[in-house]
Structures are given as structure tokens and as C-alpha cells.
Amino acid sequence: MKKLPSPDSDNCLPQRSRVATETEGGAGPSLAVCCGGCLEENKVCKCGAIHGGGGGIVEEKAFGNTVNANSSFVHAVINMSGMLIGLGQLSTPYALQKGGWTSAFLLVGLGIACTYSSHLLGKCLDKYPELMNYADIGRHAFGAKGRVLAASFIYLEIFMALVSYTISLHDNLNTVFLGAHLKLPATGLSTSQLLTVIAVLVALPSLWLRDLSSISFLSTGGILMSLLIFTTVVGTAIFGGVGTDQRIPVLQLHNIPAISGLYFFSYAGHIVFPNIHKEMKDPSRFTKVSIVSFSLVTMLYTALAFMGAKMFGPEVSSQITLSMPRHLVTTKIALWATVLTPMTKYALEFAPFAIQLERNLEDHAVKSRTRMIVRGVVGSFLLLVILVLALSVPYFECVLGLTGSLVSAAICLIFPCAFYIKLFRPQISKPGLILNLVLIGVGCFLGASGTIYSSKMLISNLHRAH
């Protein structure tokens, strides 16, 4: 077969490639772009089509077939909505019960604020079309420090989200195999911990995958699992014989800082919105895509939150699947879907680290086989670190709330507003400037208070456990 043009040659035309991307707060693929000539043998793009020519963070997860940027409005809405619906949907009933039914206004309000911040990212990309990803916007706004800060928060969010996924895996495996006994005396691990170790080891070989289309397949599996979880919860409410007469308190103000982190995490997805924007046939409709997508997701979260809280009341778990009656078929399906979801995430979420690592090794003329080994070893080590952390700190709501408050609040709200002010300052009206400063202030307040509260809860739980 004729060899493809060199990525560094003038013949390396800007053909666009479908890229499946995903975040810890969501489960659906987004789309990015890459030079078609750089896809030979699944090599990493070196022409700058994705990296903005400046070595920006790679947010892509899996390459598919080469296509033009022809994502329709409906396609973009499906991508964005599917990407937002993920691990956060498990915790919304718990958050509503803890915060009171009036905290639903906070859930909706943050949804509106995050819709607006995604609109701001779209405006930045419209004004500077050479910017290709979230970190590129940070670099253009605040220089190298902005890119490093954005990249650091992106990687931190991915890492902490994977810890949350692993905790969820442990909790749901414990329920699925309730009553089972599996012991290895030398390890000192409980049955649920051993089952979690086995599940993670089963998923471990996926980190060695270099066929990125296989990783894209895992992304599709994650989407289906998320939709299945929502469907089974609805089915349990309608056909499961569970009453919906539990009382939801009006407001529990002291819990608002903690649940704000859970709500923020539910809307975490902004790091891949630039990819969706770039892949749209008509990028000028990106704001409408954001409005429709966030509206659908907010309605789903609100409905699920009230449904779960009314079904289980004060006994609702931080993961709605753990509260469902265990004898029901829908519960078994939901539990297994929740167990399988993390196993589809590891390779997908590790891909940004892996792609950046391979790029760095390639710059140092490291052989292809050596790069593959280093990639696999580093990925395996990181996954084992995540496993140890998850088993050592098995407090789902604390870790998820901490992730939302510490990281997601910045990525979803604070950074987009700051980028916009920096890049558009002469053109922003006084009311617009005040609005963005207020949103930054709200994000900082909720993020800081939520981080403090979640950290105290985590420390208290660890102290109690020991």
C-alpha cells in the first residue's frame, strides 16, 4: 500500500478525525480533530492539528475513522448530553435529600451557570479558531502558566474521578456478592476488597491497548451502562412496588457546601467542549447545543433526584443503586451496570496521560516497542495507586464532593469566566463584567467551602474507621 504523507510534510492535509472523548462526570463521546496523515499505525498527531502547535494537553481518548467536521446539531447535542450523564447521576438523590428540596434551585442554578460558561468557551474558540482544546484557551489567555494550570486541573480531575469510580466499583461489588466469602489470609483484605482487586486486574490489560479504536468501543459501553442505570431506577420507581411518600426536608443549610461539590461534579465536562465545537458543521450553533444539552441533563438530574429522595428518604445512599430493593431484577441490572461502568473507564481516562507520555518519549527518540512498555507500566502503576487509594478511602460521597469542589468548580465555572474576561476585556460591557466576576466569586466560595467541608468529612470518617 502507498505510504501516507509524513505528518511534517506540506502534504499532511488537515483531514479531520473522529475522536471519542470522555470525562469523569460524564459518559459520552465527544469529537476532536486530527490530521489524517498522522493516523498511520495509530501514531500520535504531531502536526499541531490537535495540540494547537504548542504542545498543549491532549484531551483525546480514542481515534476512529477519518471524516470531515460534519457533526450536526442533533449529533452535537447527543454527544454533549451523553458526556454529561455519568457518575454524578448516582449521587443526585442523596444530595437533594441532604440539602433539602430547595437545594434543587442550586442544582438548576449551577446548570444554568455551567451552560453560560460553556457559551464563553465557544466565544473564545470563535474568536481564536487556532485554539484546539481547553488548555490552549488557558495558554492563550494567561500564557504558559495558564496552560500548565489548566492541564494540572484536567489531570487532577481525571485522577480523582477514577478514584471515585473505583470506590463505586467496590461498593456495588460488595452488594452484588453480599454473603459471599473470599479470603486470602496473607493479604488481610475483605471479600469486597479482594473482588475489587480482581475486577481492577481484569481491566488492567486494557491500559496496554494501542489500538485506539478499541478504546472508543469501551467508551460506547460506558454510555450504554449509564443509560441502563437511569432506566432501571425509573423502572423500579414505577413497577418495583416502592412507595414514593418519603419526606424531603425543606432546607439543610449546613449541608449545602458538601452537596455543591456533588452538583458541580454532575456538570463536569467542559474540558471536551472545545472538541465538540471544532467538530460541528456549524460552530455558530454551539451555544444552542449547550442550552439544549444542559436543559435535558438538568431535567434528568432533577427528576432522578426527586424520584430517589421520595422513594428512600433519609435512608437514600450516596449511590442510588445501593438503596434499590435487592430482590428486584431491575436492581440486579443496575448494580451490574454500575460495576461494569468503571471497568470501561480506565483505559479511556488514562489515554490523555498515555498520549502525552508517548509524545514526550518520541521526542527523545525512544523506540516504539519501548514506548509501549513504558506506557503500559506507567498506566498499570497509576491504576494500582488508584486502587490502593480507593480501598484506603472508601467514602464515595466525600471523594466525589471533594473532586467537584476542588477541581470541577474551577474547570466548569471559574476558569471559563476568567479566560473570557482576559481575552475579551475591552469588549465586555460593565454588566457583563460584573456577571462574570460574580460567577467567579460564587465558584470560588462554593469550591472553597465545599473543599473544606468535604475534607473535614473525609478526615472524620478516616479517624472513625481507625
Side-chain angles (χ1 to χ4, degrees):
M1 294 179 64
K2 185 177 179 181
K3 186 177 180 181
L4 291 172
S6 167
D8 299 315
S9 73
D10 294 334
N11 295 323
C12 187
L13 300 176
Q15 269 185 307
R16 301 210 173 185
S17 171
R18 227 179 254 275
V19 178
T21 59
E22 195 168 312
T23 69
E24 46 308 301
S30 171
L31 299 172
V33 292
C34 184
C35 167
C38 300
L39 299 181
E40 179 188 5
E41 298 178 358
N42 290 326
K43 289 181 180 179
V44 178
C45 178
K46 295 187 290 184
C47 65
I50 283 189
H51 316 300
I57 182 177
V58 181
E59 297 166 2
E60 306 78 50
K61 308 289 181 145
F63 295 88
N65 297 325
T66 301
V67 295
N68 294 320
N70 59 359
S71 177
S72 67
F73 179 86
V74 174
H75 190 187
V77 168
I78 293 173
N79 279 323
M80 186 177 287
S81 301
M83 179 269 302
L84 289 170
I85 301 170
L87 194 61
Q89 70 177 334
L90 299 178
S91 62
T92 50
Y94 170 84
L96 187 75
Q97 179 65 36
K98 291 296 181 182
W101 65 263
T102 53
S103 70
F105 291 106
L106 177 61
L107 175 63
V108 175
L110 289 179
I112 295 172
C114 290
T115 305
Y116 174 73
S117 64
S118 68
H119 159 71
L120 297 183
L121 291 177
K123 292 194 69 173
C124 294
L125 294 167
D126 289 335
K127 184 176 182 179
Y128 303 99
E130 71 275 11
L131 304 180
M132 303 305 298
N133 54 49
Y134 192 97
D136 277 350
I137 301 175
R139 182 192 62 207
H140 201 76
F142 296 103
K145 292 181 179 179
R147 182 183 69 82
V148 170
L149 183 63
S152 299
F153 271 76
I154 289 170
Y155 286 146
L156 183 60
E157 183 176 55
I158 291 173
F159 184 83
M160 294 181 70
L162 283 177
V163 173
S164 299
Y165 273 115
T166 308
I167 295 173
S168 175
L169 173 65
H170 168 263
D171 293 343
N172 285 273
L173 274 174
N174 187 38
T175 304
V176 168
F177 292 99
L178 190 64
H181 296 283
L182 181 64
K183 293 290 183 183
L184 287 178
T187 63
L189 298 176
S190 65
T191 299
S192 60
Q193 289 174 330
L194 282 173
L195 289 171
T196 305
V197 171
I198 293 171
V200 170
L201 291 178
V202 168
L204 191 62
S206 66
L207 299 184
W208 290 73
L209 288 174
R210 297 192 73 196
D211 180 3
L212 297 176
S213 61
S214 299
I215 301 178
S216 180
F217 174 76
L218 292 175
S219 172
T220 304
I223 301 168
L224 295 176
M225 293 302 103
S226 294
L227 294 176
L228 189 59
I229 292 169
F230 175 74
T231 304
T232 53
V233 173
V234 174
T236 301
I238 298 174
F239 307 109
V242 180
T244 55
D245 55 353
Q246 295 290 331
R247 179 183 175 274
I248 305 175
V250 178
L251 177 65
Q252 299 193 89
L253 194 59
H254 62 284
N255 287 330
I256 294 300
I259 68 168
S260 64
L262 299 177
Y263 287 157
F264 263 124
F265 186 87
S266 300
Y267 293 116
H270 288 60
I271 60 175
V272 295
F273 287 175
N275 298 11
I276 295 177
H277 179 280
K278 290 296 179 182
E279 201 49 36
M280 287 186 65
K281 184 165 49 179
D282 183 8
S284 65
R285 304 184 72 188
F286 177 77
T287 296
K288 293 182 179 179
V289 168
S290 299
I291 293 172
V292 173
S293 300
F294 274 92
S295 297
L296 292 173
V297 170
T298 301
M299 287 189 291
L300 182 147
Y301 282 154
T302 305
L304 189 61
F306 275 99
M307 192 183 307
K310 291 294 289 182
M311 287 168 64
F312 305 112
E315 303 302 318
V316 67
S317 172
S318 58
Q319 300 174 69
I320 185 63
T321 52
L322 301 180
S323 296
M324 297 165 65
R326 294 172 187 168
H327 65 279
L328 297 177
V329 175
T330 52
T331 300
K332 293 179 173 60
I333 294 173
L335 288 170
W336 274 110
T338 310
V339 166
L340 293 174
T341 296
M343 300 178 70
T344 67
K345 301 292 185 183
Y346 293 125
L348 198 63
E349 295 288 353
F350 175 70
F353 296 96
I355 293 173
Q356 189 68 35
L357 179 62
E358 287 209 14
R359 288 183 66 229
N360 293 336
L361 293 173
E362 194 171 5
D363 290 342
H364 290 84
V366 178
K367 294 182 179 179
S368 176
R369 182 177 178 84
T370 304
R371 293 200 304 270
M372 183 190 71
I373 294 174
V374 172
R375 168 197 178 114
V377 170
V378 172
S380 301
F381 173 76
L382 286 176
L383 185 54
L384 293 177
V385 170
I386 288 169
L387 173 62
V388 171
L389 282 175
L391 295 181
S392 303
V393 191
Y395 307 108
F396 178 80
E397 68 276 15
C398 297
V399 175
L400 199 68
L402 183 61
T403 305
S405 298
L406 180 64
V407 186
S408 301
I411 290 177
C412 295
L413 193 58
I414 299 171
F415 287 173
C417 292
F419 296 161
Y420 178 71
I421 291 175
K422 179 67 175 179
L423 296 176
F424 287 83
R425 179 64 187 90
Q427 305 167 31
I428 303 176
S429 63
K430 187 174 181 180
L433 179 62
I434 293 174
L435 172 63
N436 282 276
L437 291 175
V438 168
L439 289 177
I440 291 175
V442 170
C444 290
F445 173 75
L446 291 177
S449 59
T451 298
I452 294 171
Y453 191 95
S454 298
S455 299
K456 286 183 176 179
M457 285 179 58
L458 190 59
I459 294 171
S460 175
N461 286 329
L462 289 172
H463 179 73
R464 191 181 303 115
H466 287 286

